[in-house]
Amino acid sequence: MTDRIQTRVLTVDPAVPEPQIIAEAAAVIRAGGLVAFPTETVYGLGASALDEQAVARIFHAKERPATDPIIAHIADLRQLDVLARDVPLAAHALARRFWPGPLTLVVLRRPIVPANLSAGRATVAVRMPAHPVALALIAASGVPIAAPSANRFSRPSPTTAAHVLDDLDGRIDLVLDGGSTHIGVESSVVDLTVDPPVLLRPGGVTITALRQVLPELTFAPRYVATDGEALPAPGMLLRHYAPNAPLTVVAGDHAAALERIRAEAQAAINAGLRVGVLAFDEDAPALTDLPVRIVQMGPAANPEVVAQRLFAALRAIEQTGVDLILARDPGQEGLSLTIRDRLVRAAEGRIIVAGQ
């Protein structure tokens, strides 16, 4: 637990951020402080990516293990060469197509990058966010900004300033409140230091879109059970995004999975437990006859909406005081693959398959 400090909150226009507010936040960054700010994915907890002590403050405030690297955010493509060496042509091709946007590239780092930013590895993860507040803050600060999600470690990522304060009030210097984030899940992470390149974490850019630029891209998700090894990218631990109550993901055919959710819920109710269900909109009517707390995430057929609501739904359902949470596997097509990845990590790998 970190010593408490006074956390200030400044409301900022998400479309046209006020220069004086951005200047105030940039001054905090340059002084080695911590500023939470909105990106198009989730809220980030920012510090100078070139200041080892400021980066260490991020780890301390989040209670984040030193083995989990942090993404450096840039506002200008020229900053990529400040952070990285021997940047491959594939990085520029991906940047031209997806930056600014929810894509992080893992490349070889220069000595100017503090080792703690990259968990001691020879690489650095870099992205250019597509949010006016984030871009303005990076530009005004004059340095790349290190920014993991602005929450305590392993908690659901924050998509509003209120979520940030729930976890980090009294631990950080400033929050820029720019309203809700648009995408709602973190960036995709592509490792370009290996051949062929690997998608380490699915995110806001689908693997199909990435392969249009990088056909040889492979997908190798890792679910690391402990924080003992230095990870190549953030978001790879098995326990991540977890609500306070245990979550189980139910996979299988839609009808069979929904019936299994009903059966699991009824068994838990019979055992005297309070049950919550993270439900797709089309599934909710089939559950209303059960005494369960239902939080709807949006229609399964519209994963963009589900992604935007996912982390807020995880926070909302835990606040109902349930003892366990059930959710249906959304599948692995398009953005649903990203949603599934987050649910599996929130469940610490607890997946049951209907019919087995």
Side-chain angles (χ1 to χ4, degrees), residues 10-13 15-27 30 132-133 136-137 139-141 176:
L10 297 177
T11 301
V12 62
D13 187 325
V16 187
E18 297 84 351
Q20 68 275 17
I21 293 176
I22 295 298
E24 189 170 346
R30 289 194 298 272
V133 172
L137 178 60
S141 299
L176 294 180

Side-chain angles (χ1 to χ4, degrees), residues 234-245:
M236 300 184 70
L237 288 169
L238 177 60
R239 176 179 168 80
H240 215 342
Y241 320 110
N244 289 336

Side-chain angles (χ1 to χ4, degrees), residues 239-264:
R239 176 179 168 80
H240 215 342
Y241 320 110
N244 289 336
L247 168 68
T248 297
V249 177
V250 180
D253 170 80
H254 179 190
L258 190 56
E259 188 57 36
R260 182 66 180 268
I261 286 174
R262 287 184 56 87
E264 293 287 329

Side-chain angles (χ1 to χ4, degrees), residues 12 52 59 93 100 110 115-116 170 238 315 324 329 332 345:
V12 62
E52 183 178 10
F59 283 96
R110 290 189 182 275
N116 62 346
L238 177 60
R315 287 176 177 264
L324 63 90
D329 185 341
Q332 302 187 50
R345 295 183 196 276

